[in-house]
Amino acid sequence: MALIDKKTEVLAAIIVGCVGVFFVFGMPFFVGGIISELGFNQSQANLVSSAEIAGMALSSMLGFFWIQKFRWRTIAYFGIAVIVAGNLISSIEFSDEHSFPLFVAVRFITGLFGHGLCFSLGVAAIGRTKNPDKNFSYTIAAQVIMGSLTALLVPIAMSKYGIAGMTYPAIALAIIGLYFIKDLNDGNGSDLNVISTDGSSKMLLLPLIGLLIMAIWQMGVGPFFNNLVPFGINNGLSGDAIGRALFISTAMSIIGPISASMLIGKLDRSHAVFGALTVQILIILSFSGEITWVGFTLRAICFQVAWNFVGPFLMGMVASVDKSGNYSVMIPASQLGGIAIGHAVIASILSTGNPSLINYFSALFIALSVLIYFMLFRNRTE
């Protein structure tokens, strides 16, 4: 008999996670606003962005220590309070060089104790559910909808209200999140300290292998996607045309998690991982030569659909061997860390003057994640 989760508990975890990850989806617009509205240069804007992301990644890494020490609802209330305070402070006009270090510090602290805390907690709470794969599908679908609305509405809001056009929606979403915290899993239960009954050393290693697979996968997919704009520009596409293509592909990518939610339980995880990641490799390698707008858009759609289809299976992979949430809470760190490392490697590749190497680098690391999955993870869970 299939185990059933409380719908209110799953919804609360999804909302708290969305509160946390909102700034990740809005970061490109926030960076643009720092330059256009506050007058800082591109290097400074990227420093602010990296400070926030670094804070979120660190929060997730430290989650292993705080996830069992405090009640999860208390953590959620604290995280939302920091989000509200941090974004209110960020709405102040930090427009001179003397205030820049303070601005960076505010965003780092907001990422560490606010957005990162809620994002990690939402993932851990979904990992604690009875059907994590399916619930991760719903989570990603909700995040896709939020990301599409962010791409559609935040640029308009920022053109009218400046930086507040990004920070105030973050505050509003956090306040909405307050209503759902009462239904959040509070981190108590008999299985809190249980990873599995099957061999402690084996079960200690499996979640770490799962996190490694996710990090290596993100080293390939994250930086490649973030470099689609310059790829399109190099193919003669305008910025507006690329923006429309990526908006369409992001909106269409909801097909991925919806399909995953329908197939989970019917499709073997190994088949899903191998199939989706193979599709991603083929699409990445197809981004070569001259590509029309239609070709660019179709490739972006297929890439993001595959990305969001396999995401629930990979996240559920960690949760399936970690019912405590101790390791699931570090999923955001593996994702963000993988993207950060991938960007550093790609920056080195670009210095060679051969941007086509990005495709091969990305495909190689996705293939490596598949190899590690079948060599180290799948065999140990059979």
Side-chain angles (χ1 to χ4, degrees):
M1 182 177 178
L3 298 174
I4 300 175
D5 292 298
K6 294 181 181 178
K7 292 181 180 179
T8 54
E9 190 175 291
V10 174
L11 179 61
I14 290 173
I15 296 296
V16 169
C18 284
V19 170
V21 81
F22 173 76
F23 240 82
V24 173
F25 287 100
M27 191 58 74
F29 313 109
F30 190 58
V31 167
I34 292 171
I35 297 170
S36 62
E37 303 298 327
L38 301 183
F40 294 117
N41 60 42
Q42 188 173 1
S43 176
Q44 290 173 312
N46 276 277
L47 181 60
V48 174
S49 172
S50 64
E52 177 113 22
I53 297 299
M56 293 181 67
L58 181 59
S59 180
S60 176
M61 291 175 65
L62 295 175
F64 184 86
F65 301 100
W66 55 253
I67 197 69
Q68 288 196 57
K69 293 184 181 297
F70 306 99
R71 291 186 175 275
W72 290 7
R73 291 173 193 166
T74 302
I75 295 171
Y77 282 122
F78 176 76
I80 284 180
V82 173
I83 289 173
V84 172
N87 284 293
L88 277 175
I89 295 171
S90 298
S91 302
I92 301 170
E93 291 297 318
F94 289 96
S95 55
D96 62 86
E97 293 293 331
H98 298 294
S99 64
F100 180 72
L102 177 60
F103 188 38
V104 173
V106 167
R107 293 319 308 176
F108 174 77
I109 293 171
T110 305
L112 177 61
F113 296 112
H115 291 291
L117 209 63
C118 288
F119 183 24
S120 304
L121 182 59
V123 171
I126 291 295
R128 277 287 304 276
T129 60
K130 299 177 179 67
N131 301 283
D133 296 55
K134 186 179 288 290
N135 293 329
F136 276 130
S137 298
Y138 300 145
T139 300
I140 293 176
Q143 291 176 0
V144 168
I145 294 172
M146 182 182 70
S148 299
L149 292 174
T150 300
L152 183 66
L153 301 176
V154 165
I156 298 172
M158 291 190 71
S159 68
K160 292 183 178 180
Y161 306 109
I163 287 295
M166 178 68 194
T167 56
Y168 284 1
I171 293 171
L173 184 60
I175 292 173
I176 291 172
L178 284 173
Y179 174 78
F180 294 90
I181 292 178
K182 67 181 186 300
D183 297 316
L184 187 69
N185 186 318
D186 209 18
N188 294 316
S190 59
D191 63 340
L192 186 60
N193 295 307
V194 177
I195 293 179
S196 177
T197 57
D198 244 353
S200 59
S201 60
K202 173 184 174 182
M203 289 298 114
L204 174 66
L205 185 61
L206 280 175
L208 296 177
I209 295 174
L211 292 170
L212 174 65
I213 292 169
M214 290 201 67
I216 293 175
W217 172 60
Q218 288 287 1
M219 285 176 65
V221 295
F224 176 79
F225 179 75
N226 291 340
N227 277 275
L228 284 182
V229 171
F231 179 87
I233 291 173
N234 291 336
N235 271 268
L237 300 178
S238 67
D240 288 343
I242 296 170
R244 288 196 303 273
L246 295 182
F247 171 73
I248 292 171
S249 68
T250 300
M252 292 291 290
S253 69
I254 197 172
I255 295 171
I258 290 176
S259 300
S261 69
M262 295 171 63
L263 293 173
I264 285 169
K266 302 175 183 177
L267 180 66
D268 184 81
R269 188 195 309 277
S270 299
H271 296 160
V273 170
F274 180 77
L277 297 192
T278 299
V279 168
Q280 284 195 313
I281 291 171
L282 294 175
I283 293 171
I284 287 173
L285 295 177
S286 75
F287 270 95
S288 59
E290 294 186 7
I291 297 179
T292 64
W293 181 84
V294 173
F296 180 90
T297 304
L298 289 176
R299 285 172 172 82
I301 290 172
C302 292
F303 181 80
Q304 286 193 271
V305 168
W307 190 351
N308 288 330
F309 173 81
V310 78
F313 288 97
L314 291 177
M315 296 168 80
M317 168 185 67
V318 177
S320 67
V321 291
D322 170 35
K323 294 304 180 184
S324 65
N326 295 352
Y327 295 91
S328 296
V329 75
M330 292 190 287
I331 288 176
S334 69
Q335 293 174 324
L336 298 173
I339 291 173
I341 295 170
H343 270 297
V345 176
I346 282 181
S348 177
I349 290 174
L350 289 173
S351 67
T352 66
N354 188 1
S356 65
L357 291 176
I358 293 175
N359 298 39
Y360 298 110
F361 163 82
S362 299
L364 175 64
F365 273 88
I366 294 173
L368 181 60
S369 68
V370 176
L371 181 63
I372 295 175
Y373 173 82
F374 281 94
M375 287 182 61
L376 298 180
F377 192 90
R378 181 173 179 264
N379 292 337
R380 290 170 180 264
T381 54
E382 288 180 339

